[in-house]
Structures are given as structure tokens and as C-alpha cells.
Amino acid sequence: MSAAPDDPVYRNPVLDADWSDPDVIRVGDDFYLTASSFGRVPGLPLLHSRDLVNWTLVGHALHRLEPESEFAVPRHDCGVWAPSLRHHDGRFWIFWGDPDQGIFQVNAPEIRGPWTRPHLIKAGKGLIDPCPLWDDETGEAYLVHAWAKSRSGVKNRLTGHRMHPHGTELLDEGKVIVDGDRIPGWFTLEGPKLHKHDGWFWILAPAGGVETGWQGAFRSRAFFGPYEEKVVLEQKDTDVNGPHQGGWVRTPSGEDWFLHFQQRGAYGRVVHLQPMEWDPDGWPVIGDDGAPVAGHRRPDLPPQRPAAPATDDDFPGGRPGRQWQWTANPRDGWATHHSADGLRLTCVRTPDAHDLRALPHVLTQRLPGAPCTVEVDLRLDDGEPGARAGLAVLGDAYSWIGLERGTDGAVMLVHRFAETAAERERDAAPPRPAPGGRARLRVDIGAGARCSFSYDTGDGGGDGAGEGFRPSGQVFAATPWRWVGALLGLAALARTGQGHAGTATFTQFRIRIQEKRADR
């Protein structure tokens, strides 16, 4: 969450949305962060900050998931898992694991690119969470990764490799360098971040699961071990559950900081900033003596204006902003560029019109972690019966409100939902006329991601201070996917058939945070 430049204290989370599995580096006076993007496109988001508190989204490093045929349809929990971001030899590098394919790498001369196409450096099932290290003292290069039991049958261990200094291939078959099964009480060891500091090889890695776990530190004088371990961050008596998996970064003045996530249900994995010091025995101490802080003195860095990743969008020229991602690799014709403002989506014909979760052409952005109001204007343009479009809160269960053209050509306001594991959506409220084929759609998202839908069709109805908004359906509790928080989505679709089914135009997308704490 952004902070005022004259406020000496920041409040956590500093990124109050689903920026899962963050990793961070410093290059000069600039800090950069990337995060998991799973099956959404573009992937590998790139965030920038000058003070570690205020962050903006500046681009993505991955424009299409490969192999493309595998991601032509949504694979919400697959794709890009736990990337590591590094800067070496004048280039930015990102390594990540696809649990079904192996370890990939991309690199670029500048953070905004151009980024190379993904290069597979180790094929295999269950290879996740890779992190490279270039040892400037010896010229050697290394890579460590974890394992996903769902694909490999193996977990709770870290495997190390020698890597070619060019970062293009591994030079051996790998060796288990940390076995969590041999450490009493440790389980689900994953997410390693590899560093060289003060003559030690360091692996900062979480264990214990995303909702209940802790952050561990491992050190050895040799890369292949043996390693000793210590728990350096855990929940203790705070309300920050499972504080772990993130990145360590040092400021120009020598301060150390640690960015990590907290799992918050439908909100996904929000990002906290923790102070980090070193104890007399040379171990890192994160937070307040190993407990996460809710707020702290700001880093010793030049003050910055309040900033946060963009959410609002007028879609100039028909182009969505950087905050939007498709639910699969995009295809030509889903969106039309034009000279005015507004997102013009084609009502794509699909046999899956009964289930938004199966559609690749849903445009999404992250659900804010604070109570908020989401609004967008929608116009359903000329099209065939069955063409529909709307605003969705999307997860294992979903609900959406929007417009649909009936068999008589009239446009109706519709509100539908689907429960978790349900094969088809159902009406959440009776259809209502939408004169002129237009509506202003609203979702009020309260505590616990409980969503109240409403609409204004411009016909003078409603009872709220002349606004014209009318409530629709029951309160809907947003749900995440397995590893991904709930998403806000814009969709346009139609049933299977022949010919063009019509278009839908979205304008003035806005998110208003309802409760802003002055101390953030």
C-alpha cells in the first residue's frame, strides 16, 4: 500500500493484492520486483520502486506462455510459478518453474525489454522455484530449485546444480543439498532464494505451507553443503499467517529488507516489507525479532510520491492497461483497436458459454485487498441473440452481472453465478430490461471479499440519492483458485454458431478503495 512521502512510517502490506511469490533486486537506485503469474498472459509482471514502499507496474517479461498450444485454454494454477529475478553482466534475468514442463529462463538488457523468448534449461515434471547465483569471486554459476509433489512425487527438498555462466544450461544432474525430511518438524520446503554473503552460501527458503508456515535460512561455506538452518520469520503472536517466501534486498546505504507474502484467501498473496538485520552469530533477523511487523520506520531512501499499481482504465484506443491479463494466450480478434476510448471486445463464440472459468478470452486484473467499489460502463452493440458481456468476480466459484441480447432482439440485464465445481452457471436474479443496451455495473466488495452486485440501466429507477443503482441477487463470497486469488474480469461471449455475434464496449473502469488507513 502506498505511503505519503512525509510519513516516517509505512504500513503493511505494501502491495495489497495478489502479487504472489515476490522476488526483488536493486540495480543502482532502483528496485524491481516480479511475481508468479501462473496461466495468465502477459506473465511475469515487472514492478518498480525507489523506496520499497510505493510500487508501480512497468511491464511484463513474458508475452505468451509456451508451448502455446498448452495455454490456448485457461490453466489457472499452472504456468509461471515462483520466479527469481536477478541482474548479472549488464542484463536482467528471470528464472521460473513450470511444474508440468521444467525450468525456464528469459533475459533482457533493460527491465522494459526486449525480453528473450523462454528458454528451457531443464525439462522435467515437478521442477519448481528455481533461483540462480553467479559467484563473482570464483566465476562459477549455480542454480537451486524445489519440487512439486503433485507432479514428481517428491517434495520438501532442494536440489542444487552447477550452471553454465551464460545461464543457458545446467552442467550436472543435480544433488539434493537440503533435505527437509532430515530436519525435525520441517515440511513443504520450497521457494529457495540463493545468495552469496560474507563468505557463505545462503538459501532463504520457506517451509510449513503457505497459510501456516515460516521463513527459513540455510548457510554453508560450500554450495553443495552441508547446510545449517534456522527459522528467521514466523507468525508468533501477530495476525500475519504463514509469513514467508520472498526476496532479500540491500539499499545503497547498507540497510537490509525482506519482502514476502501473506496468504489472504480470496485476496491471494499480499506483499509485506520487513526490516532485516544480522545477529552476532551472522544469522539474519527479519521483522521484530523474527515476527512480522505491521508497520515500521521507512527505509533510508529518498522520499517518493504515493504510488501503487494502476487499476482504473479508460482503455484509450481500445487498448487495455498493463494491469490486465487474459486467462490464456490471446488470439487476434478478441479486442479491436480504434481511435476513441473504450475497450471493444468481440462476443467470441464458444461452446463454454455456460462457464466463464473455461474461457480463454476473459480479461482480468487482481482483486484489491481492501474493501472497494468496482464500476464500469457497458454497451452491448448490435449482435445476435445470446450475445452477452459483463463484469465478473472470478475464482473457483464466480458471479457476473451484465447484458444479454434475447431472441426478440431486446437487451436484458442479467446476473449469474456458478458454485465451486458446478458445471453450469445459474441465474442469481431475474433478467430485467436494459433500454438502449447500456448499463453501469457495480460490485461493492466488503470485508472477507463479500461482493454485492448492483446496476444502473439509466431508466430512472433506484432509490439511492438519484444514482439509479439497484441491488441484484444475494451477497457473493469471492473464492480463490488453488494458488491464485480471485480476479476481476471483463468478458464478452456468445453461443456457438455462424458469423459475427456482435461486440461489447466497456468504458470508465474504476476502483474506489472504501477504507484507506491514513498510516499506510
Side-chain angles (χ1 to χ4, degrees):
M1 180 66 69
S2 60
D6 57 350
D7 189 342
V9 174
Y10 71 88
R11 301 291 297 183
N12 278 316
V14 292
L15 284 167
D16 200 3
D18 187 25
W19 301 96
S20 178
D21 313 317
D23 194 23
V24 62
I25 61 170
R26 177 177 67 87
V27 181
D29 294 328
D30 297 286
F31 298 92
Y32 300 103
L33 181 147
T34 192
S36 296
S37 50
F38 299 97
R40 303 194 301 277
V41 182
L44 290 173
L46 303 167
L47 285 78
H48 171 256
S49 177
R50 285 289 185 95
D51 64 0
L52 291 172
V53 175
N54 295 282
W55 293 87
T56 57
L57 179 63
V58 297
H60 293 81
L62 186 62
H63 298 294
R64 298 186 73 81
L65 287 160
E66 296 187 5
E68 293 202 13
S69 60
E70 294 290 325
F71 294 95
V73 296
R75 303 183 67 200
H76 298 292
D77 301 331
C78 302
V80 176
W81 283 23
S84 291
L85 174 62
R86 293 293 182 264
H87 189 261
H88 167 71
D89 196 25
R91 297 187 71 85
F92 291 87
W93 302 77
I94 302 179
F95 288 69
W96 76 93
D98 179 317
D100 299 303
Q101 299 181 70
I103 296 170
F104 287 90
Q105 169 258 102
V106 292
N107 60 86
E110 304 289 342
I111 195 68
R112 290 171 174 80
W115 290 85
T116 61
R117 286 187 60 175
H119 174 73
L120 183 65
I121 65 170
K122 183 180 181 181
K125 295 281 189 179
L127 308 177
I128 59 170
D129 308 350
C131 184
L133 171 70
W134 287 268
D135 189 338
D136 293 334
E137 297 177 4
T138 65
E140 298 285 337
Y142 305 96
L143 183 134
V144 63
H145 70 82
W147 295 85
K149 186 175 181 180
S150 60
R151 272 68 165 191
S152 65
V154 175
K155 73 168 188 174
N156 205 32
R157 65 187 62 172
L158 305 179
T159 296
H161 293 266
R162 293 188 181 275
M163 183 176 73
H164 194 290
H166 290 165
T168 56
E169 60 181 315
L170 303 179
L171 303 179
D172 56 33
E173 294 301 313
K175 174 185 175 182
V176 175
I177 57 176
V178 179
D179 187 346
D181 290 345
R182 296 181 178 271
I183 307 174
W186 284 58
F187 60 96
T188 317
L189 176 63
E190 57 187 354
K193 294 294 181 278
L194 182 59
H195 302 272
K196 186 80 176 289
H197 171 65
D198 198 24
W200 295 89
F201 286 91
W202 287 92
I203 300 174
L204 301 180
V210 296
E211 295 189 1
T212 57
W214 57 89
Q215 177 67 37
F218 301 82
R219 70 181 182 183
S220 173
R221 291 294 185 182
F223 171 70
F224 286 104
Y227 283 85
E228 51 185 326
E229 82 284 339
K230 186 176 183 180
V231 175
V232 293
L233 182 69
E234 56 187 326
Q235 181 172 356
K236 296 189 176 181
D237 60 354
T238 74
D239 61 0
V240 181
N241 60 294
H244 62 50
Q245 188 154 330
W248 161 37
V249 67
R250 176 166 287 178
T251 69
S253 65
E255 289 184 344
D256 292 306
W257 297 86
F258 186 74
L259 284 144
H260 69 91
F261 76 72
Q262 175 198 10
Q263 173 68 37
R264 291 191 56 222
Y267 299 114
R269 300 173 180 182
V270 303
V271 179
H272 293 239
L273 176 66
Q274 304 293 338
M276 177 171 156
E277 296 180 340
W278 300 84
D279 71 15
D281 295 324
W283 287 94
V285 179
I286 300 177
D288 180 9
D289 195 24
V293 299
H296 193 269
R297 172 190 57 80
R298 294 166 61 105
D300 182 20
L301 293 164
Q304 304 294 314
R305 291 184 177 181
T311 56
D312 294 356
D313 205 347
D314 289 320
F315 310 105
R319 292 171 173 83
R322 295 188 182 102
Q323 66 268 35
W324 297 96
Q325 296 170 293
W326 299 101
T327 47
N329 281 329
R331 304 172 199 168
D332 291 340
W334 287 356
T336 302
H337 296 168
H338 52 86
S339 59
D341 288 351
L343 177 69
R344 190 176 298 163
L345 294 183
T346 300
C347 295
V348 177
R349 293 190 181 276
T350 173
D352 296 312
H354 56 278
D355 189 348
L356 294 187
R357 295 165 296 198
L359 302 183
H361 54 275
V362 180
L363 196 61
T364 68
Q365 67 166 282
R366 293 162 179 81
L367 188 74
C372 63
T373 296
V374 183
E375 290 186 5
V376 68
D377 284 334
L378 170 62
R379 183 182 75 242
L380 191 62
D381 298 320
D382 59 316
E384 294 192 358
R388 67 198 74 164
L391 168 66
V393 178
L394 194 63
D396 258 344
Y398 73 84
S399 186
W400 72 278
I401 190 168
L403 301 173
E404 180 174 9
R405 190 173 298 278
T407 55
D408 60 355
V411 176
M412 304 294 288
L413 189 291
V414 296
H415 182 190
R416 298 192 176 117
F417 77 102
E419 301 171 83
T420 299
E423 295 182 358
R424 303 185 69 87
E425 63 186 24
R426 298 159 49 199
D427 284 334
R432 303 169 176 88
R438 298 171 179 267
R440 181 78 176 162
L441 310 173
R442 175 188 286 179
V443 185
D444 290 297
I445 304 173
R450 293 175 63 81
C451 304
S452 299
F453 290 78
S454 57
Y455 67 94
D456 178 7
T457 55
D459 59 355
D463 54 7
E467 291 184 356
F469 276 96
R470 307 179 190 183
S472 180
Q474 301 299 313
V475 172
F476 169 76
T479 63
W481 280 286
R482 186 176 184 187
W483 309 123
V484 181
L487 300 166
L488 299 171
L490 304 177
L493 59 145
R495 294 188 294 266
T496 54
Q498 300 297 318
H500 183 61
T503 60
T505 301
F506 295 88
T507 54
Q508 298 186 62
F509 183 91
R510 298 289 184 267
I511 297 180
R512 299 195 306 273
I513 302 299
Q514 296 173 357
E515 297 179 5
K516 282 189 176 180
R517 297 211 312 246
D519 56 354
R520 284 192 173 182

